[in-house]
Amino acid sequence: MQPIPIIASVLIALSVGSNDTSNALGICIGCRIISFRRAVILFGVFVLIGILLQGRKVMKTVGKDIVEMDLRILGISLLVSAILIIISNWRRLPVSTHQVIIGSLTGSGTALGADVNYGSLFEILLSWVISPLAAFFASIMLYRAMEKTLSKLPFLQIERIIRVLLLASGIIIAYTTGANELATILGPIIHAGLIDETWAFLGGSFLVFLGAVLLSNRIIETIGSGITALDPYSGFAAQFGAGCCVFLFTSLGMPISTTYCIIGGITGIGMLKGTGTVSVNLLKKIALSWILSPALAFLTCFTIIRTLI
Amino acid sequence: MKVEEVMNKKIEYIEPESTVYDAIEKMVDKRIRSLLVNPKDEQDVYGLITVRDIVFKIINKNLNPRKIKVGEITSKPLVCVTKDMPIEHVMALMEKFNIARVIVCEEGKVRGVVSLFDVMAGSLIEKAIEGHSA
Amino acid sequence: MLKELFLGGKKELEVVDKMKKHMGFLCSACTTLKAAIENRDKELISSVSDLEREGDIVRREIFSNIYEGAFLPFLRPNICRFVEIVDNALDVTKDAAIEYTDLELDEETKDDCARIADISAKMCEMLLAAIETLSGRADLREKSLAIRIYEKKVDEIEFDLLKRLRTKEIKNFWEGKALSDFIHDLTSISDLIEDASDYLQIINISLR
């Protein structure tokens, strides 16, 4: 049983790397502000910094607070999660690692009759609902603020400033990917005592980096182009607004999806510019997967455990 | 800015004996809003007929433009300015006499027209040029 | 890389300087054309061709600067389009100059054409000033409106000129064609400058 959770975590970390780099630095790479190679290195570095500085709260929530951990729960949850995540990445569905992991843990825990902390679970569910909405509003407010200040400057100056801002927002997202996303993955195995914290941090960050290097160029279609066509100006507002939200929720120890916050931000800006530019179909698809993924993870684990054990 | 920089040299004439209807036709064809009315005889002076005259004195009063002669609604004498007069002066004149255009004269001959539109366009251009050297 | 990011703007400033240089060539070309028409001086025509060639050289430099990394990629197509339009204006000025070589215009027509060339030159100066908007030292709206006012003046002169010319007698098809081509190219200069000014507007608002 022991190697299974670790292997599963490795797989999940790799897919986070391949999927989430585009969240963070897709816009910067697309705007040629930074080369792919440098972007990936920057990404890796800040993921490590993120988890070092702020990872602990989310790790505790996921690894300890939800469910009383035991090796079976750990193994099955992480394995199922890894499989589901890899499949969705392959099918290019924007799926949240957090939702799948937490769904699996809850499913396994319930199936085995373990002690599930419904209070914590509720807090987490609430965060999942609130965070994209918060990002939605944060991005709109940021855009308005930019209109009042940045827009008044001469053209060439705005151009220079936007480059710097885009890079900064990419860095924030990389940081929160470490502090929140990676923390969600590592939380369970660290708190189960399977691996030493320092090794987990270094190894986890490295795996995320590796995932980015190996598979990211297949996936650097920024989420932005699927929902609304974003120019750098709007792109920054969407991403930075989302980044701030994730940062806030990370400080509260809530494991939330950066991907969905960014979607919230982009939708906000899209609406500001006229609803016509937001692809309603894509939004529906996303809403559906938002409900289905934790449910599916829950049910799969539940069924497996009840069947096998 | 001087008159000569904004004036319009396109001047059209009409005989005082022509009907107002003729005047309307001429204005439409030539895309202008005023016509210089030739003097009736040696003793007479030039006059001006404008779109304003036609609208307020004929159309608004429901009179038949085919029956009225140009000479009957002409404004006389002309309000004249010289080529080197500054625009501000012209604007003051226009405001004082409540008119929309002035005639540019030189040595007793008519050289051009300056309308409100010309003044507006001219001052905008002046401002745009100044805005750069400022 | 980081240095580029913060001290950045050097490449962009270079491009804007070259755009101004490019516009400068157009201004000179129009002024030279006007002098050539006014003074019936056919010697000046070759200068216009020279200016057009210089303009081509600068245009190529601008394009390579842009694709070497100046400006966010999202802005580049509009900036290139602007430069292309100015280049078209230069081409058309050169064409008009060359067509003028074989023409003998009557006094009235000569005056009208000289006036059109003069207004075109004034429009160029205005557009050159408008490029300063990008560095924030000018107000684009005013200059854009001034350019449109000038363009309407050219339209007016053209309208009357063509009306008058249609009543004129021409001896053969080629004489008529030469005159027609000349007037057409001469008046196209101002149309293109107006287009360029519109593109400058587009560039200006694309980052707001």
Side-chain angles (χ1 to χ4, degrees):
Chain A
M1 255 288 158
Q2 273 218 352
I4 296 186
I6 306 227
I7 297 177
S9 302
V10 166
L11 291 173
I12 300 179
L14 281 175
S15 57
V16 160
S18 70
N19 210 32
D20 294 356
T21 323
S22 56
N23 277 354
L25 292 160
I27 286 187
C28 289
I29 298 178
C31 289
R32 314 274 175 86
I33 294 176
I34 187 173
S35 72
F36 176 76
R37 208 156 50 120
R38 287 201 178 126
V40 164
I41 295 176
L42 206 60
F43 183 68
V45 165
F46 276 94
V47 164
L48 180 61
I49 297 181
I51 193 158
L52 274 175
L53 290 183
Q54 280 193 286
R56 289 191 183 83
K57 283 209 180 121
V58 172
M59 287 199 314
K60 177 168 167 289
T61 311
V62 179
K64 244 172 73 155
D65 288 351
I66 306 179
V67 124
E68 209 187 291
M69 205 57 74
D70 89 22
L71 283 180
R72 293 170 299 169
I73 296 181
L74 198 58
I76 303 220
S77 313
L78 286 178
L79 193 60
V80 169
S81 303
I83 296 175
L84 285 177
I85 289 171
I86 292 179
I87 295 180
S88 350
N89 278 355
W90 182 46
R91 291 311 212 80
R92 316 240 176 157
L93 298 170
V95 123
S96 158
T97 1
H98 307 80
Q99 290 187 336
V100 168
I101 291 179
I102 289 175
S104 312
L105 286 173
T106 322
S108 319
T110 319
L112 285 174
D115 202 11
V116 176
N117 185 344
Y118 289 106
S120 278
L121 207 57
F122 180 70
E123 271 177 2
I124 297 179
L125 249 58
L126 204 61
S127 311
W128 285 354
V129 172
I130 297 181
S131 52
L133 290 174
F136 180 92
F137 288 112
S139 303
I140 291 182
M141 285 197 315
L142 184 59
Y143 192 85
R144 284 260 158 83
M146 280 163 76
E147 267 180 343
K148 293 211 170 83
T149 51
L150 202 57
S151 287
K152 306 277 193 282
L153 295 174
F155 177 81
L156 285 182
Q157 248 192 301
I158 301 182
E159 204 257 352
R160 262 181 266 168
I161 294 179
I162 292 266
R163 286 168 178 242
V164 177
L165 289 181
L166 280 177
L167 199 61
S169 78
I171 287 176
I172 288 197
I173 302 271
Y175 177 89
T176 56
T177 303
N180 204 306
E181 218 105 359
L182 187 58
T184 307
I185 303 171
L186 297 178
I189 54 175
I190 290 183
H191 280 275
L194 284 182
I195 188 171
D196 168 63
E197 209 184 60
T198 322
W199 280 117
F201 285 0
L202 289 172
S205 311
F206 178 72
L207 286 168
V208 168
F209 167 77
L210 203 63
V213 166
L214 296 177
L215 300 167
S216 217
N217 42 8
R218 175 176 79 96
I219 303 180
I220 298 270
E221 47 190 70
T222 315
I223 291 189
S225 53
I227 304 180
T228 65
L230 280 192
D231 54 277
Y233 199 80
S234 317
F236 166 73
Q239 205 183 44
F240 199 82
C244 289
C245 267
V246 182
F247 187 81
L248 181 66
F249 280 88
T250 311
S251 321
L252 297 173
M254 289 293 112
I256 54 159
S257 161
T258 314
T259 312
Y260 285 130
C261 283
I262 292 185
I263 291 176
I266 292 176
T267 314
I269 306 290
M271 295 229 153
L272 202 58
K273 294 186 145 182
T275 328
T277 49
V278 179
S279 162
V280 186
N281 259 338
L282 194 48
L283 281 181
K284 281 192 200 159
K285 220 165 104 174
I286 288 171
L288 211 62
S289 93
W290 192 86
I291 300 175
L292 287 183
S293 29
L296 190 62
F298 181 97
L299 287 172
T300 319
C301 289
F302 191 87
T303 327
I304 292 182
I305 292 195
R306 277 291 161 85
T307 335
L308 294 178
I309 298 182
Chain B
M1 185 158 250
K2 298 247 170 17
V3 159
E4 106 184 281
E5 293 169 62
V6 303
M7 71 188 219
N8 196 339
K9 295 198 187 126
K10 199 165 137 180
I11 316 161
E12 291 296 331
Y13 294 86
I14 194 167
E15 295 301 325
E17 294 307 304
S18 317
T19 64
V20 172
Y21 195 82
D22 295 330
I24 295 177
E25 265 184 347
K26 203 163 199 183
M27 285 183 186
V28 167
D29 287 335
K30 307 268 181 187
R31 305 203 299 190
I32 48 179
R33 280 172 228 135
S34 61
L35 298 169
L36 219 55
V37 183
N38 286 327
K40 275 194 282 239
D41 47 47
E42 297 272 310
Q43 264 76 357
D44 200 7
V45 290
Y46 281 99
L48 190 68
I49 178 173
T50 71
V51 177
R52 222 181 184 187
D53 293 324
I54 297 181
V55 169
F56 291 130
K57 295 179 190 167
I58 310 284
I59 299 182
N60 203 26
K61 298 215 165 113
N62 264 316
L63 297 173
N64 189 349
R66 290 179 205 261
K67 299 250 171 67
I68 316 256
K69 299 261 189 313
V70 163
E72 295 171 56
I73 59 170
T74 308
S75 316
K76 281 185 199 187
L78 297 177
V79 178
C80 277
V81 297
T82 53
K83 274 204 304 198
D84 48 16
M85 193 179 267
I87 292 288
E88 294 79 21
H89 217 135
V90 175
M91 289 196 270
L93 270 174
M94 287 180 175
E95 204 180 1
K96 181 168 169 200
F97 291 109
N98 194 18
I99 48 178
R101 55 187 44 78
V102 295
I103 310 295
V104 185
C105 298
E106 200 184 9
E107 287 155 17
K109 299 196 132 221
V110 173
R111 293 282 176 217
V113 178
V114 177
S115 70
L116 283 174
F117 187 88
D118 297 325
V119 172
M120 178 180 77
S123 64
L124 190 285
I125 291 183
E126 191 179 45
K127 202 152 168 280
I129 295 177
E130 253 169 43
H132 170 63
S133 33
Chain C
M1 173 204 79
L2 276 177
K3 230 198 306 174
E4 231 169 59
L5 219 40
F6 289 100
L7 293 183
K10 202 167 86 151
K11 280 204 201 125
E12 286 78 18
L13 279 178
E14 242 182 78
V15 168
V16 172
D17 277 337
K18 292 204 174 134
M19 280 163 71
K20 289 197 271 188
K21 196 169 165 201
H22 195 211
M23 270 310 308
F25 286 138
L26 182 58
C27 291
S28 307
C30 288
T31 318
T32 312
L33 182 58
K34 169 192 162 208
I37 298 174
E38 236 171 29
N39 307 327
R40 299 195 200 260
D41 184 354
K42 312 266 169 122
E43 307 278 309
L44 291 173
I45 305 293
S46 55
S47 317
V48 180
S49 295
D50 291 337
L51 286 165
E52 195 264 336
R53 219 172 304 130
E54 296 286 325
D56 274 341
I57 296 175
V58 176
R59 174 178 54 97
R60 280 180 216 120
E61 281 175 26
I62 295 178
F63 284 162
S64 59
N65 279 34
I66 289 182
Y67 284 101
E68 275 163 13
F71 293 106
L72 293 169
F74 150 84
L75 298 167
R76 291 175 191 170
N78 285 335
I79 297 178
C80 287
R81 186 84 195 96
F82 175 83
V83 176
E84 269 169 28
I85 297 178
V86 173
D87 187 64
N88 286 348
L90 256 172
D91 285 339
V92 127
T93 310
K94 180 198 79 180
D95 289 341
I98 293 184
E99 279 144 15
Y100 181 65
T101 327
D102 295 321
L103 289 175
E104 288 305 329
L105 303 172
D106 62 74
E107 196 66 26
E108 237 188 321
T109 311
K110 176 195 92 139
D111 281 338
D112 280 343
C113 291
R115 258 179 46 215
I116 293 179
D118 179 48
I119 297 180
S120 304
K122 291 206 172 85
M123 286 169 81
C124 287
E125 306 271 344
M126 196 62 75
L127 188 58
L128 182 54
I131 294 184
E132 290 289 355
T133 310
L134 296 181
S135 339
R137 271 170 259 137
D139 179 7
L140 186 57
R141 225 172 146 200
E142 261 178 17
K143 300 196 187 328
S144 185
L145 186 53
I147 290 179
R148 296 206 298 276
I149 292 177
Y150 275 138
E151 214 275 323
K152 300 232 176 327
K153 288 198 177 164
V154 171
D155 274 346
E156 254 182 52
I157 303 175
E158 182 192 0
F159 183 76
D160 291 327
L161 176 61
L162 287 177
K163 227 171 151 189
R164 211 180 53 236
L165 283 178
R166 277 188 206 117
T167 62
K168 216 178 108 164
E169 204 188 288
I170 50 165
K171 295 188 209 91
N172 61 50
F173 170 75
W174 294 107
E175 181 190 308
K177 182 170 192 303
L179 186 58
S180 170
D181 287 346
F182 170 68
I183 307 276
H184 177 261
D185 285 337
L186 185 62
T187 50
S188 298
I189 303 174
S190 50
D191 287 333
L192 288 168
I193 297 177
E194 197 192 28
D195 284 348
S197 152
D198 289 338
Y199 253 91
L200 205 52
Q201 288 266 35
I202 293 178
I203 294 174
N204 204 28
I205 57 171
S206 57
L207 264 190
R208 287 168 210 272

